[in-house]
Amino acid sequence: MKEQSLTIAALKDAYAKGMPPKDVITEVYARIEAVSDPGIFIHLVAQEEALAAAVALGSYDPEKPLWGVPYAVKDNIDVAGMPTTAACPEFAYDAEEDAFVVAKLRAAGAICIGKTNLDQFATGLVGLRTPYPAPKNALDPEIPPGGSSSGSAVAVAQGIVPFALGTDTAGSGRVPAALNDIVGLKPTLGALSARGMVPACRTLDTISVFAATVDDAYAVFEVAAGFDPADPYSKPVAVRPVSAPPPVFRVGVPDAESIAFFGDSEQEASFEAALSTLKASGAEIVEIDFAPFYSVAELLYDGPWVAERLAALEPFLKEKAEFVHPVTRRVVGVASKFSAADAFNGQYRLAELKRTVAPALASVDLFCVPTIPTFYSVAEVEDDPIGPNSNFGTYTNFVNLLDMCGLAVPAGPRADGRPGSVTLLGVAGADGLLASVAQVFEGAERADAAPAVQDDEIEIAVCGAHMSGLPLNGELTGRGARFLREARTAPDYRFYALAGGPPYRPGLVRVADGQGARVRLEIWALPKSQF
């Protein structure tokens, strides 16, 4: 087992060949001991208990997509029979039932081995705001592990578990992924129920997924997603299979005036290299003024949304404020200056900014941004616990306010050896598209694999302006369509430009044998509900 990579795909293969899951659990605990980082877990399941859970699974069941897969859970998410602390011992309670997402993972055969450390009450992007020992970054202990989902990211990056649950309000599922060189999937808001999760900002919170590969992260997302009528913020979000990227896709990036690296030339070079990878895979790069996106981000901590954190924490603060981390108190304390009128004015301002950025969102298929603009050391964060944390959120803080989905993915090491990472961003429901494009950073050999059309989809052949990269393609992608393959017509069609435009539209006319040509097409899968 020690030579076996702890990925979901590798475990499935091993289990299908007869390996018992107790062997995997034994290896997990050996890896925990070898890593020897007391900051990763706040609560670790006893090895005997985890082994018993593995044995209780019985014979291998390939119908359960996560059968025998060990994983970890951020300690602001409930797991039945385990304490939930939110990194505050005085807040702790024993969870009587699983969070909705944890229950789905358990039903799929996954085995939770423990609860992981975090920035207290999920407030922070550095991973150091905890009364427990802070987890050490898996690559370099001199840099922060990232937060708030620090322990979950480090557990995956250290190879202890194939995946772990985090949460994400302002970037907590993406920043730790970048700092530890792993994948961080922040789904469309409402796709994963937040029931059983200690809230930070209820209107913006989501559970997130860390994994070593895009495939693994998306496999967990497929299992965990589902409408939960008991969660008022849950939404029915269609989870589409991951296909190959379209032959042409438009990617928005910050323009030269609005991109920020805070003087980090290595990070700038790393981002340019990532864009070259996208271009080689069919991307058309479109420069966008990101100033309105940054204005949205300012509403999160410098505007009235910080009061939503106070609303979540206020009952505990009133009784036991002395047990709240001093930096957390400082951040949440800003909320006292905002009134109810400020909250409404913030909503109005956000609505205005959404209207401002709408043309940019509609002009591209997805966005690509640096996950973090630069690196800081642990010492720098300890000297200034606010500034570096704020800068880490440059490309993450606006995302949930705009109801976008995001996927942070490793983009290869920088010239100095530090990990490169970019985040792909899309409109709500574009999770599958982000996963398909993110795979280009993991090797082009995967790009040809496209799942067959699903039972709830219909195949559509399109030509001309509806093809990828052309003006009407958004009529497909906006309805949840996914690219399947390129094709050509039979050799008996002629291609005509129709009157009118822009956009200019084509027409196909069947002609007598030998008088036509094989016209290039694309085949897309469209949800039948959108047909």
Side-chain angles (χ1 to χ4, degrees):
M1 183 63 210
K2 289 185 178 180
E3 292 77 23
Q4 183 92 48
S5 174
L6 272 184
T7 65
I8 295 174
L11 289 178
K12 281 186 173 182
D13 183 62
Y15 289 147
K17 294 175 179 176
M19 185 181 69
K22 65 181 180 60
D23 289 1
V24 176
I25 297 299
T26 299
E27 175 64 16
V28 165
Y29 282 81
R31 294 185 182 196
I32 292 172
E33 184 176 358
V35 170
S36 188
D37 182 352
I40 297 176
F41 290 95
I42 291 177
H43 174 80
L44 184 63
V45 174
Q47 184 170 351
E48 295 76 16
E49 184 180 339
L51 287 169
V55 172
L57 289 173
S59 300
Y60 176 52
D61 184 355
E63 296 300 313
K64 292 185 174 182
L66 300 177
W67 190 93
V69 178
Y71 74 106
V73 176
K74 184 177 180 179
D75 198 21
N76 61 341
I77 303 169
D78 289 347
V79 178
M82 299 186 197
T84 300
T85 71
C88 181
E90 292 75 19
F91 174 81
Y93 61 88
D94 291 328
E96 296 182 359
E97 61 182 35
D98 288 333
F100 182 85
V101 165
V102 172
K104 289 178 74 69
L105 299 179
R106 190 188 298 272
I111 302 171
C112 178
I113 61 140
K115 308 290 290 296
T116 56
N117 208 344
L118 64 149
D119 281 320
Q120 191 181 72
F121 294 111
T123 301
L125 294 175
V126 291
L128 305 176
R129 300 172 181 174
T130 171
Y132 303 97
K136 294 181 177 64
N137 183 286
L139 306 177
D140 180 358
E142 297 301 314
I143 63 175
S148 60
S149 311
S150 53
S152 287
V154 173
V156 171
Q158 289 285 17
I160 293 171
V161 288
F163 78 92
L165 297 184
T167 65
D168 191 307
T169 304
S172 295
R174 291 161 279 161
V175 170
L179 290 167
N180 290 279
D181 202 30
I182 59 173
V183 172
L185 187 156
K186 188 220 77 71
T188 295
L189 290 181
L192 302 190
S193 169
R195 180 157 58 93
M197 166 186 163
V198 178
C201 296
R202 286 191 66 196
T203 61
L204 304 177
D205 292 337
T206 181
I207 290 174
S208 64
V209 180
F210 295 105
T213 68
V214 173
D215 265 356
D216 278 6
Y218 201 80
V220 175
F221 170 61
E222 288 179 305
V223 171
F227 177 66
D228 176 12
D231 173 8
Y233 291 99
S234 178
K235 296 183 292 188
V237 175
V239 179
R240 311 312 310 176
V242 176
S243 301
V248 180
F249 51 97
R250 291 168 59 83
V251 179
V253 302
D255 63 17
E257 289 72 33
S258 58
I259 199 163
F261 295 102
F262 300 97
D264 190 337
S265 59
E266 295 284 1
Q267 195 74 341
E268 183 175 5
S270 174
F271 184 60
E272 287 300 321
L275 295 187
S276 295
T277 299
L278 287 173
K279 289 177 186 177
S281 298
E284 293 181 357
I285 303 301
V286 181
E287 293 194 353
I288 303 273
D289 178 11
F290 259 57
F293 292 87
Y294 300 147
S295 295
V296 171
E298 290 172 2
L299 294 172
L300 193 61
Y301 285 107
D302 297 329
W305 267 267
V306 74
E308 197 171 7
R309 291 186 182 271
L310 178 61
L313 196 52
E314 191 171 35
F316 187 77
L317 276 170
K318 285 181 176 179
E319 295 184 4
K320 299 181 178 181
E322 68 273 20
F323 296 114
V324 177
H325 193 281
V327 180
T328 305
R329 281 207 310 270
R330 178 178 168 186
V331 171
V332 176
V334 173
S336 62
K337 72 179 184 181
F338 294 107
S339 67
D342 291 326
F344 281 103
N345 286 330
Q347 291 278 3
Y348 306 151
R349 177 61 176 154
L350 178 59
E352 293 169 357
L353 289 168
K354 284 182 175 179
R355 188 63 57 87
T356 300
V357 304
L361 293 174
S363 70
V364 296
D365 296 303
L366 68 155
F367 292 83
C368 181
V369 296
T371 307
I372 56 173
T374 187
F375 286 79
Y376 294 95
S377 68
V378 170
E380 287 172 319
V381 175
E382 290 173 343
D383 288 343
D384 177 9
I386 301 297
N389 187 97
S390 177
N391 291 346
F392 273 156
T394 300
Y395 300 108
T396 63
N397 284 351
F398 58 83
V399 174
N400 284 6
L401 281 164
L402 292 176
D403 195 16
M404 302 175 76
C405 54
L407 184 61
V409 61
R414 307 188 330 170
D416 61 1
R418 283 183 167 172
S421 174
V422 295
T423 293
L424 305 179
L425 300 171
V427 297
D431 308 82
L433 173 63
L434 301 189
S436 71
V437 174
Q439 289 184 345
V440 306
F441 294 102
E442 296 182 337
E445 71 276 3
R446 296 152 52 87
D448 292 332
V453 63
Q454 305 295 294
D455 289 342
D456 64 344
E457 295 175 323
I458 187 169
E459 284 187 301
I460 294 183
V462 299
C463 63
H466 282 90
M467 296 170 71
S468 60
L470 295 178
L472 298 182
N473 185 245
E475 293 187 355
L476 292 173
T477 59
R479 290 171 170 81
R482 59 189 180 90
F483 172 76
L484 292 179
R485 61 189 180 275
E486 295 183 286
R488 287 187 178 271
T489 67
D492 47 3
Y493 284 88
R494 296 190 69 178
F495 198 49
Y496 292 89
L498 301 182
Y504 298 102
R505 300 167 185 265
L508 281 178
V509 176
R510 190 180 183 101
V511 294
D513 289 348
Q515 297 182 17
R518 295 175 63 87
V519 178
R520 191 165 67 90
L521 305 170
E522 290 178 356
I523 310 299
W524 289 69
L526 182 70
K528 289 179 179 177
S529 61
Q530 298 296 313
F531 184 72

